[in-house]
Amino acid sequence: MESTTLRAFKYRLYPTKAQITSLDTTLALCQRLYNGMLEERRGAYKKAGKSLTAYNQMKSLPEVKAALPEYTGVNAQVLQDVAKRLDKSFKGFFRRVKAGQKAGYPRFRSRDRYDSFTYPQPSQNSVSGDGKHVYLPKIGNVRIKLHRPFCGKLKTLAVKREGPEWYAVLTCEVPRAEPLPETGSRVGIDVGTTWFYVTSDGEFCENHRLFQASSKKLRVAQRSLARKPNKRSNRRKKTKERAAKLYRKTARQRRQLHHEEAKKLISSHDLICHEDLNVKGMAQGNLGKQIHDVAWGQFFQILAAKAEEAGRRVIAVDPRFTSQRCCICGHTERGNRASQANFRCLSCGHTENADVNAAKNILSKGQAFVAQRISTETACHEKPRLSGLG
């Protein structure tokens, strides 16, 4: 295992009006360059059957600056990173084609869908000694709010726009943290829409329904937006930003709760087992809005990342029959689940909360996989997908 890892630190920027103009101009020029390079790649393949690389396109940047003098006001490495960004999109496209997945050919980006640029080799002294400014080449010293200290060797510096707000994302190389001490505890969690999750220990985590809580304000903002059809209207732009701000607030609240709950689970348990759910497919059903609101996929990703950092293990098991199987005798029948909340085994008569019973079955599957892997080093029938440390 490597002794270092990468960690991102995100901070709010407070640029002046002149700096905001420079940031907007840089972002617009990068967006135009991205689309131009994409068109160049498409044209080269259609006309000559030739595939351009990021290196080929980076070599032509001096010619771009000579033809379009406005690009001389953008840092050279920022422009090179645009070519690398496009190249990464194409590599992802070809990887998905080979894997037989939905390919998703790289698309042209509108100004609303291109919201960041990156300095791939920033100075280690980019952030001032007093922590109040960050130096962005070709833009200047921009005020920054370091709400928490960052550490390690600075690898990249990305500038991102979220609505009217600007952020700096510092990616640093830091020493890998020491694993947390073992607790000897193992737990299974059953996620849902009534409760965010229920553990095999009988703990119930509340589903805060953040989108539902903000739906009234969102409904008012969206109806107000619908009454302003002129897309060039300043009033429409302000109303659109008001609705976007509500969405951003809800997303941030949800992400914060996911981090808090994941940290609590990682701190208390050595092994955490959850269902390997097809969240995208489930969200297409009648409960799509509730499933998007609870965001299981994001929670599982955060849980896996924290587990890897803490030296814990997270296992995603096959979800089939976990809610219909009795955790005592193993009898599996649809009729065992008397209602949404109650479980009563038709074979042995065991009664329990349905979600707690399902969480115990999830834990049993995870433990069976761990035991079989230790003994035979082969996957079990369910073929669970490992997250975090395997």
Side-chain angles (χ1 to χ4, degrees):
M1 181 182 297
E2 296 182 1
S3 59
T4 60
T5 185
L6 295 178
R7 179 176 295 176
F9 300 87
K10 185 177 179 181
Y11 302 104
R12 176 79 181 271
L13 295 177
Y14 294 90
T16 63
K17 289 184 179 180
Q19 290 171 340
I20 290 175
T21 301
S22 298
L23 290 168
D24 283 331
T25 301
T26 300
L27 204 56
L29 291 174
C30 289
Q31 176 254 342
R32 285 171 51 190
L33 181 64
Y34 182 94
N35 289 340
M37 287 182 168
L38 175 56
E39 179 61 31
E40 184 183 26
R41 285 202 179 207
R42 293 178 60 182
Y45 187 79
K46 287 181 179 179
K47 295 177 181 179
K50 181 181 179 182
S51 297
L52 298 179
T53 65
Y55 179 72
N56 297 140
Q57 295 188 307
M58 283 190 288
K59 284 198 304 182
S60 64
L61 287 176
E63 300 175 8
V64 173
K65 288 185 176 182
L68 302 171
E70 58 267 30
Y71 278 96
T72 58
V74 182
N75 182 265
Q77 291 188 356
V78 170
L79 298 178
Q80 292 173 4
D81 187 74
V82 174
K84 295 177 183 177
R85 183 171 176 174
L86 178 62
D87 191 62
K88 185 177 179 181
S89 297
F90 272 96
K91 286 180 179 178
F93 165 72
F94 291 121
R95 174 181 52 79
R96 291 188 294 271
V97 169
K98 290 182 179 179
Q101 301 173 353
K102 186 176 180 180
Y105 189 83
R107 298 182 296 178
F108 293 103
R109 300 291 187 90
S110 67
R111 297 187 71 167
D112 291 336
R113 293 188 177 275
Y114 197 97
D115 56 9
S116 67
F117 59 89
T118 302
Y119 297 94
Q121 295 179 351
S123 168
Q124 296 302 310
N125 299 319
S126 294
V127 180
S128 62
D130 58 4
K132 293 183 178 180
H133 295 86
V134 59
Y135 177 68
L136 305 179
K138 298 287 187 176
I139 294 173
N141 289 307
V142 183
R143 283 181 56 209
I144 188 172
K145 177 67 174 179
L146 292 182
H147 61 277
R148 60 168 177 160
F150 70 94
C151 57
K153 181 181 179 181
L154 186 59
K155 302 295 286 185
T156 64
L157 196 166
V159 180
K160 185 177 182 181
R161 181 181 62 193
E162 294 185 5
E165 301 172 354
W166 291 89
Y167 293 87
V169 182
L170 311 181
T171 303
C172 302
E173 186 179 51
V174 299
R176 188 176 292 275
E178 292 294 328
L180 293 177
E182 294 186 4
T183 63
S185 175
R186 299 184 173 190
V187 72
I189 59 174
D190 179 61
V191 295
T193 55
T194 303
W195 296 95
F196 178 38
Y197 67 78
V198 179
T199 71
S200 54
D201 297 333
E203 178 185 355
F204 291 76
C205 179
E206 180 184 358
N207 179 11
H208 294 273
R209 295 180 172 85
L210 296 169
F211 182 81
Q212 182 178 335
S214 63
S215 60
K216 183 177 180 180
K217 292 181 179 179
L218 280 169
R219 185 163 58 249
V220 171
Q222 288 171 331
R223 286 177 177 175
S224 177
L225 181 64
R227 291 194 295 268
K228 299 175 178 61
N230 185 3
K231 293 186 177 180
R232 296 184 179 182
S233 166
N234 287 329
R235 294 181 63 192
R236 176 184 169 86
K237 291 179 181 178
K238 291 179 180 179
T239 307
K240 182 179 179 181
E241 175 52 34
R242 192 180 306 125
K245 186 176 181 179
L246 290 170
Y247 278 110
R248 288 198 300 270
K249 180 179 179 180
T250 303
R252 289 168 180 170
Q253 289 176 324
R254 184 184 297 113
R255 190 180 303 112
Q256 177 67 20
L257 286 170
H258 286 177
H259 276 284
E260 291 174 355
E261 294 301 330
K263 183 178 179 181
K264 184 170 68 174
L265 289 169
I266 294 299
S267 301
S268 304
H269 308 286
D270 296 335
L271 173 67
I272 303 167
C273 307
H274 66 80
E275 295 171 292
D276 188 9
L277 299 174
N278 178 14
V279 180
K280 185 176 180 180
M282 295 173 66
Q284 296 175 358
N286 295 331
L287 296 176
K289 184 179 290 186
Q290 291 89 328
I291 291 174
H292 281 303
D293 191 8
V294 76
W296 298 324
Q298 177 179 266
F299 174 66
F300 292 152
Q301 289 179 352
I302 292 174
L303 186 66
K306 289 187 180 296
E308 182 175 4
E309 184 178 2
R312 304 299 201 202
R313 176 178 286 180
V314 175
I315 296 180
V317 304
D318 193 331
R320 289 178 294 180
F321 309 118
T322 54
S323 62
Q324 301 174 12
R325 180 176 301 156
C326 177
C327 64
I328 301 298
C329 68
H331 176 68
T332 304
E333 184 177 342
R334 179 176 295 181
N336 285 346
R337 189 151 188 172
S339 65
Q340 181 65 27
N342 299 316
F343 181 91
R344 184 178 184 279
C345 181
L346 299 179
S347 177
C348 68
H350 170 68
T351 59
E352 194 170 21
N353 179 276
D355 295 329
V356 174
N357 177 80
K360 291 181 178 179
N361 287 328
I362 294 168
L363 176 60
S364 297
K365 283 191 173 186
Q367 288 178 320
F369 170 76
V370 171
Q372 189 166 2
R373 185 177 184 185
I374 292 174
S375 60
T376 64
E377 296 186 356
T378 58
C380 64
H381 176 69
E382 284 87 8
K383 295 182 180 179
R385 173 177 56 81
L386 284 179
S387 300
L389 290 182

